[in-house]
């Protein structure tokens, strides 16, 4: 194996060292118990500084991949014996109404209660806030726009922002007209408008399961029914399951994660997206894709939006800057070539327009190039946090937990023995000032009461580590 780094890469050198050690482990160049090269020798081979190698080794130790022996060096640990993915649920038998709002309210109260450790919230930006760069961008906007930035914006959104988004889609080979994009108050409103544009009360909406509870709450609020299509932690969603659903039930629309699923973290491949779009468009069924985590992938490249594969303009792409820049700005969008007029009318009736100053600031942030630099760094920090969290969970909970291996995003899905009640664990954790998301939130029929979702999107610190260990203690007491 060639020992070399790419110094012209956007990836930090210490992260490249981490990737190199992991690759040596996968290829058996390093085996469990083997001693790693010394700091000085590896620094010399890679032509980098000793502190760079030291930073990488410390990070690998925190992730649980290596360990230090006093006065001896660093050694490779054995692979975890319980690295088993959560199980796949069964395809639903029939559509059902959703009744999640009461529990969702309790979870949100726990997230925002002062003094609580918010392990239940998926807020990637919290790991390294972009506030300084955004403040600079806003000051530039204010110096040029003045009072204009405080006026009502166009219903469809600030035109330069829509053009910026259209240019980004060109990177995926997708020619987009800015008029096909509607700016929204976050991705939640984007999905709401998309649902209203393609379905009506009483209609059946097919969703992946486990499904982000915000989507289930929207379906409940709009008096629609949910039909659950199971996710597999390793293989995402089955085309056969989707085909079975649309063959047996009158499905008005399908809502799926475009690349990275929340909460499972599984990856939907481009080839599978293409096949799903082909299948649904052959039945004239709209696909609403939730692409909010699309930029936060851990692999070598971003997954393509399903919109790329549409031939009949029946895909509605929903996303936002909440996970990649500024959740408090509440700036999202819907790209809906076949439904832009309907989405625009719903937007006007629903909330008139999105905040103009925030749209203008995001536009300036993107134009400056700082947005893309920030996302590259954010992905690296999130991947590091994920590796740390997976290692900590396995160490703390032992062999009686199944842990997801997210390919991006900000959350882990934990599955326990069915004797463990996630709702009870949620209440017990709140008493310890820790908020989590109980698994029952992610299904309309309590499929996942023995599961929870926790986030690694917090700055890594002793409080986070202690919080996970406290959760493990509570689970052991309940078992």
């Amino acid at each position: 194996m060639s020992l070399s780094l790419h110094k012209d890469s956007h990836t930090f050198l210490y992260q490249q060292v981490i990737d190199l050690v992991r690759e040596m482990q996968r290829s058996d160049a390093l085996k469990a118990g083997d001693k790693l090269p010394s700091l000085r020798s590896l620094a010399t081979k890679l032509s980098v500084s000793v502190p760079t190698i030291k930073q990488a080794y410390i990070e690998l130790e925190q992730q649980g991949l290596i360990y230090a022996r006093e006065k001896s060096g660093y050694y490779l640990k054995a692979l975890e014996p319980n690295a088993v993915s959560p199980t796949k649920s069964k395809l639903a038998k029939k559509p059902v109404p959703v009744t999640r709002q009461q529990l969702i309210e309790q979870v949100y109260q726990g997230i925002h209660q002062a003094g609580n450790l918010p392990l239940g919230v998926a807020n990637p930006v919290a790991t390294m806030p972009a506030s300084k760069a955004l403040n600079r961008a806003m000051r530039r906007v204010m110096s040029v726009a003045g009072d204009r930035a405080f006026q009502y914006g166009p219903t469809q959104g600030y035109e330069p922002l829509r053009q910026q988004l259209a240019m980004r889609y060109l990177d995926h080979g997708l020619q987009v007209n800015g008029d096909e994009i509607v700016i929204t108050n976050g991705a939640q409103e984007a999905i709401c408008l998309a649902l209203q544009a393609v379905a009506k009360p009483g209609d059946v909406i097919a969703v992946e399961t486990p499904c982000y509870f915000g989507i289930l709450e929207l379906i409940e609020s709009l008096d629609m029914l949910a039909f659950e299509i199971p996710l597999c932690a390793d293989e995402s969603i089955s085309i056969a399951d989707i085909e079975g659903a649309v063959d047996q039930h009158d499905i008005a629309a399908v809502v799926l994660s475009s690349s990275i699923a929340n909460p499972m973290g599984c990856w939907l491949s481009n080839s599978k997206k293409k096949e799903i779009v082909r299948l649904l468009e052959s039945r004239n069924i709209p696909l609403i894709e939730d692409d909010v985590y699309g930029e936060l992938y851990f692999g070598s490249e971003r997954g393509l939006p399903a919109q790329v594969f549409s031939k009949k303009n029946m895909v509605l792409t929903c996303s936002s800057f909440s996970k990649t820049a500024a959740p408090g700005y509440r700036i999202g969008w819907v790209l809906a070539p076949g439904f832009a007029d309907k989405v625009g009318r719903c937007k006007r009736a629903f909330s008139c327009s999105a905040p103009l100053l925030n749209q203008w600031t995001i536009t300036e942030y993107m134009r400056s190039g700082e947005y893309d630099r920030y996302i590259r760094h954010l992905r690296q920090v999130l991947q590091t946090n994920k590796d740390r969290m997976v290692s900590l969970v396995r160490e703390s909970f032992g062999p009686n937990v199944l842990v997801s291996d997210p390919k991006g995003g900000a959350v882990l899905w934990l599955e326990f023995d069915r004797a463990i009640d996630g709702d009870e664990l949620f209440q017990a954790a709140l008493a310890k000032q820790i908020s989590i998301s109980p698994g029952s939130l992610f299904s309309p029929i309590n499929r996942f009461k023995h599961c929870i979702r926790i986030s690694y999107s917090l700055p890594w610190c002793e409080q986070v580590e202690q919080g996970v260990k406290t959760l493990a203690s509570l689970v052991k007491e309940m078992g």
Side-chain angles (χ1 to χ4, degrees), residues 110-118 432-435 463:
I111 288 171
H112 296 291
Q113 188 172 325
N116 280 2
L117 177 65
K432 301 285 188 180
Q433 292 191 294
I434 302 169
S435 73
Q463 185 186 14

Side-chain angles (χ1 to χ4, degrees), residues 188-229:
Q188 188 79 350
E189 186 186 58
I191 296 171
C192 182
L193 298 178
L195 283 168
Q196 289 177 309
V198 302
K200 61 185 185 302
D203 280 349
V204 177
I205 309 299
V207 297
E208 60 201 7
T209 193
C211 175
Y212 169 53
F213 56 79
I215 294 172
L216 294 178
E217 186 174 25
L218 284 175
I219 292 172
E220 180 177 358
S221 298
L222 295 171
D223 291 325
M224 299 173 183
L225 302 176
F227 183 87
E228 296 178 281
I229 302 176

Side-chain angles (χ1 to χ4, degrees), residues 98 100 209-211 216 228 439-448:
V98 181
R100 299 289 86 187
T209 193
C211 175
L216 294 178
E228 296 178 281
S440 57
L441 276 182
F442 299 87
S443 165
I445 58 171
N446 289 337
R447 281 177 182 254
F448 306 108

Side-chain angles (χ1 to χ4, degrees), residues 169 172 191 256-260 273 289-295 302-306 317-320 333:
Y169 281 113
H172 307 306
I191 296 171
L256 294 179
S257 299
S258 189
S259 292
I260 309 296
K273 289 177 202 172
E289 60 168 336
D290 178 5
D291 195 31
V292 72
Y293 287 106
E295 298 278 11
R302 189 199 196 288
L304 294 174
T317 303
C318 301
S319 192
S320 81
W333 68 91

Side-chain angles (χ1 to χ4, degrees), residues 88-101:
K88 178 184 174 183
S89 59
K90 295 181 179 179
L91 184 67
K93 294 182 179 180
K94 62 180 181 180
V96 295
V98 181
T99 56
R100 299 289 86 187
Q101 286 186 335

Side-chain angles (χ1 to χ4, degrees), residues 137-415:
M138 185 171 285
R139 284 194 294 270
R140 291 194 294 269
V141 168
M142 292 301 300
S143 68
V144 173
D147 291 343
R148 285 182 297 158
F150 294 99
Q151 303 302 316
Y152 286 116
T155 295
Q156 197 165 352
Y158 182 51
E159 184 177 0
L161 177 56
R162 290 187 281 120
Q163 293 302 328
Q164 282 287 316
L165 291 170
M167 285 191 290
R168 291 183 77 82
Y169 281 113
L170 276 176
D171 293 340
H172 307 306
L174 184 60
Q175 274 202 309
V176 172
N177 187 323
D179 291 337
E180 298 168 341
I181 297 173
V182 177
I183 304 299
T184 63
N185 293 307
Q188 188 79 350
E189 186 186 58
I191 296 171
C192 182
L193 298 178
L195 283 168
Q196 289 177 309
V198 302
K200 61 185 185 302
D203 280 349
V204 177
I205 309 299
V207 297
E208 60 201 7
T209 193
C211 175
Y212 169 53
F213 56 79
I215 294 172
L216 294 178
E217 186 174 25
L218 284 175
I219 292 172
E220 180 177 358
S221 298
L222 295 171
D223 291 325
M224 299 173 183
L225 302 176
F227 183 87
E228 296 178 281
I229 302 176
L231 284 178
C232 172
D234 298 320
E235 300 175 6
S236 187
I237 201 163
S238 162
I239 302 294
D241 283 343
I242 296 176
E243 190 166 17
V246 299
D247 280 347
Q248 298 172 32
H249 303 279
D250 186 13
I251 304 293
V254 176
V255 182
L256 294 179
S257 299
S258 189
S259 292
I260 309 296
N262 174 14
M264 192 72 83
C266 48
W267 170 265
L268 185 60
S269 68
N270 291 332
S271 59
K272 192 169 283 190
K273 289 177 202 172
K274 184 176 182 179
E275 195 170 349
I276 290 171
V277 172
R278 181 198 60 77
L279 169 64
L280 296 180
E281 290 197 334
S282 71
R283 315 292 179 90
N284 292 320
I285 298 174
L287 170 64
I288 299 172
E289 60 168 336
D290 178 5
D291 195 31
V292 72
Y293 287 106
E295 298 278 11
L296 300 182
Y297 56 92
F298 296 155
S300 58
E301 60 183 18
R302 189 199 196 288
L304 294 174
Q307 186 77 239
V308 171
F309 306 110
S310 177
K311 303 296 185 184
K312 297 174 68 174
N313 290 336
M314 298 199 71
V315 177
L316 299 89
T317 303
C318 301
S319 192
S320 81
F321 295 100
S322 294
K323 307 300 182 185
T324 58
Y329 275 31
R330 308 309 301 137
I331 300 298
W333 68 91
V334 183
L335 168 60
F339 301 91
D341 289 342
K342 284 186 178 180
V343 171
R345 286 194 293 270
C346 290
K347 170 64 181 176
R348 185 172 60 247
F350 196 66
S351 61
C352 185
S353 64
L356 182 57
L357 176 58
N358 295 352
Q359 294 182 69
W360 208 320
T361 300
I362 287 288
T363 305
E364 175 62 24
Y365 186 43
M366 295 172 73
R367 282 174 172 168
S368 71
E370 289 186 283
Y371 177 64
D372 284 310
R373 288 193 293 273
Y374 172 76
I375 291 176
R376 286 195 294 268
H377 190 185
L378 180 62
R379 281 199 295 266
Q380 293 174 9
V381 173
L382 286 171
Q383 183 165 13
T384 295
N385 277 11
K386 170 228 162 173
D387 291 338
R388 286 174 170 175
M389 185 66 86
V390 169
S391 176
L392 179 61
V393 165
R394 288 178 179 159
E395 178 184 339
S396 302
F397 287 85
N400 297 320
V401 63
L402 304 182
V403 189
S404 63
D405 180 23
K407 304 304 185 288
V411 295
L412 289 185
W413 185 246
L414 276 55
E415 180 181 342

